[in-house]
Amino acid sequence: MMKFDWGPSLFRRLNGVFCIYKPSDPPVHKVLEIIRGNLTRDINALPCYKYERRMPRVEANTEEKLPSLSSLPVDADNLAQHRLTLGPRYIPDDFILEPLHGLSRHAAGVLVIGIGRGCEYLEHIALARYLRVYHVRGRFGWATENYSPKGKILERTTFHHITKPKLDKVCAAAQANHTKYMFDYAGVRPDSQEAYMLAASGLVRPENGKTPPILYGVKCIEFNPPDFTLEIHAINEKCTYLMNLIGDIGLSLKSTAVCTHIRRVRYGHFELQHALLRKQWTANRILDNIRSCRSLLSVDKLATSDNVYHLDQDGQRHRQLGSGREGLTRDKLKGGNRKMLSS
């Protein structure tokens, strides 16, 4: 962790993408307010004005052979540039933060955020259409108006006839029902050569972010009636859709169910190990996280979408590295199909 003795130097380096673990209570906009407040506090705690900088001065020491270092304030008599005159140099509005595919208020998990010029990376991460993994907890025997345990209770039902094999069968049916629509959402015909090449290249992703949600995996990882936990792999989903899915599974098993908790454990290459906990939302920790997340924004990792652009260190978009589905191989990303874009 780097240590800074000059506030503007730290402020200039806060550009990029970082990852946090969102708690289940505050909404996303409140989380951003907390981060802005922490960044403002940490940077303003450093010297931010010229008179606060202390320049080293070498002094001769008669008792020792080596000279000693002391420091003197710079321009300390100019009260027009004093902190008490101008106030704090940075305010929360100076920090531009944008979340990517945020979570609902009661959901928790991995949240990707762009800061400063790093917000331009969010467009390319969204174009990659990363697979998101959730651990969704549900409870049988309840029915509420919004599929949440805090909603108005509409019905109480029995659940003792539900077994794990029955739940696994319903989960497999839900996954299979979405599998047959993958090629339609990808914009290709299922019986075409393009569909074959697309399936052979890896995960069949939707054509854009406006298609209905697609479930790539639904599996029960914990079963303790009336509570159960599903691991769901999806793209273009929202938390409300996952809550509705839990309710539909309960109806398929001739019962009812509510969603008690949603936790995102992975967003593409961003995993729990990359996420900062709430006590780590400080300026130095966020700067270190920006550096560690740079390896997750390489061309090879973003090459899941149709159009992949290259961003330089300043966050400026210059080159289109791949065009069309046939341009997604590593060789073509490195060597071919490159043309300048107007900035």
Side-chain angles (χ1 to χ4, degrees):
M1 181 183 299
M2 294 183 60
K3 294 185 178 180
F4 293 86
D5 56 2
W6 182 234
S9 178
L10 176 57
F11 177 79
R12 287 193 297 268
R13 285 172 168 79
L14 290 174
N15 293 286
V17 175
F18 64 99
C19 178
I20 68 168
Y21 185 89
K22 176 193 170 300
S24 58
D25 185 24
V28 173
H29 70 87
K30 184 63 176 179
V31 170
L32 299 183
E33 290 180 5
I34 296 174
I35 296 176
R36 289 191 184 98
N38 292 348
L39 293 176
T40 304
R41 177 202 63 200
D42 295 341
I43 297 183
N44 284 329
L46 298 173
C48 296
Y49 295 99
K50 288 184 178 180
Y51 82 91
E52 295 176 329
R53 297 194 73 174
R54 308 189 69 85
M55 303 298 295
R57 184 182 66 176
V58 180
E59 295 180 348
N61 194 332
T62 57
E63 299 179 357
E64 299 180 1
K65 297 182 179 179
L66 297 178
S68 60
L69 293 177
S70 63
S71 59
L72 289 177
V74 179
D75 198 16
D77 297 332
N78 187 3
L79 298 181
Q81 301 295 326
H82 199 278
R83 185 185 289 262
L84 296 179
T85 303
L86 299 177
R89 179 161 184 174
Y90 298 100
I91 60 176
D93 291 340
D94 292 332
F95 302 94
I96 302 175
L97 298 176
E98 292 185 11
L100 180 63
H101 296 130
L103 296 166
S104 65
R105 175 169 186 169
H106 301 292
V110 177
L111 181 64
V112 180
I113 301 176
I115 180 172
R117 295 191 302 271
C119 294
E120 298 183 8
Y121 283 93
L122 301 183
E123 175 188 355
H124 304 274
I125 300 176
L127 284 174
R129 295 187 289 280
Y130 280 148
L131 189 72
R132 277 93 80 172
V133 182
Y134 296 84
H135 286 175
V136 183
R137 290 204 299 263
R139 179 172 299 167
F140 290 119
W142 295 71
T144 58
E145 57 183 359
N146 58 354
Y147 301 101
S148 169
K150 296 184 179 180
K152 181 180 179 181
I153 299 177
L154 301 179
E155 187 181 1
R156 293 290 300 272
T157 57
T158 181
F159 57 86
H160 300 287
H161 63 282
I162 300 177
T163 61
K164 190 174 185 300
K166 292 181 180 179
L167 178 58
D168 292 337
K169 184 178 180 180
V170 172
C171 292
Q175 178 180 340
N177 188 38
H178 281 254
T179 302
K180 62 183 180 181
Y181 295 113
M182 287 182 182
F183 293 104
D184 295 335
Y185 296 157
V188 298
R189 295 180 55 185
D191 56 348
S192 63
Q193 178 67 19
E194 188 178 7
Y196 171 78
M197 297 298 296
L198 188 62
S201 63
L203 193 67
V204 181
R205 303 175 189 271
E207 188 176 12
N208 53 57
K210 298 180 180 180
T211 64
I214 302 180
L215 301 180
Y216 293 86
V218 182
K219 181 176 64 173
C220 178
I221 59 176
E222 183 181 356
F223 186 74
N224 186 20
D227 298 318
F228 63 98
T229 303
L230 301 181
E231 182 177 281
I232 300 176
H233 300 242
I235 294 180
N236 289 346
E237 82 298 330
K238 292 184 178 180
C239 292
T240 54
Y241 176 80
L242 299 178
M243 296 173 67
N244 294 338
L245 178 64
I246 295 296
D248 294 340
I249 289 177
L251 294 177
S252 300
L253 292 170
K254 295 180 174 54
S255 181
T256 56
V258 295
C259 178
T260 58
H261 188 62
I262 297 176
R263 180 170 177 252
R264 182 193 286 167
V265 298
R266 184 161 65 90
Y267 186 103
H269 301 287
F270 297 89
E271 301 181 2
L272 290 175
Q273 61 185 1
H274 303 110
L276 296 176
L277 300 177
R278 183 166 184 171
K279 62 181 180 181
Q280 299 173 326
W281 296 351
T282 60
N284 289 327
R285 290 279 190 174
I286 290 176
L287 182 60
D288 291 339
N289 193 265
I290 290 174
R291 294 195 185 101
S292 64
C293 289
R294 286 176 183 171
S295 60
L296 307 179
L297 302 175
S298 62
V299 174
D300 291 340
K301 295 185 184 297
L302 291 175
T304 60
S305 63
D306 297 342
N307 297 312
V308 180
Y309 299 94
H310 169 68
L311 296 176
D312 61 9
Q313 294 180 354
D314 295 330
Q316 300 296 326
R317 182 171 67 179
H318 289 298
R319 298 177 184 268
Q320 180 178 353
L321 299 186
S323 177
R325 298 191 183 276
E326 67 276 5
L328 299 183
T329 61
R330 181 177 299 181
D331 296 337
K332 292 186 178 181
L333 281 172
K334 289 184 177 180
N337 247 354
R338 304 190 175 184
K339 48 187 178 182
M340 299 298 294
L341 292 177
S342 59
S343 57

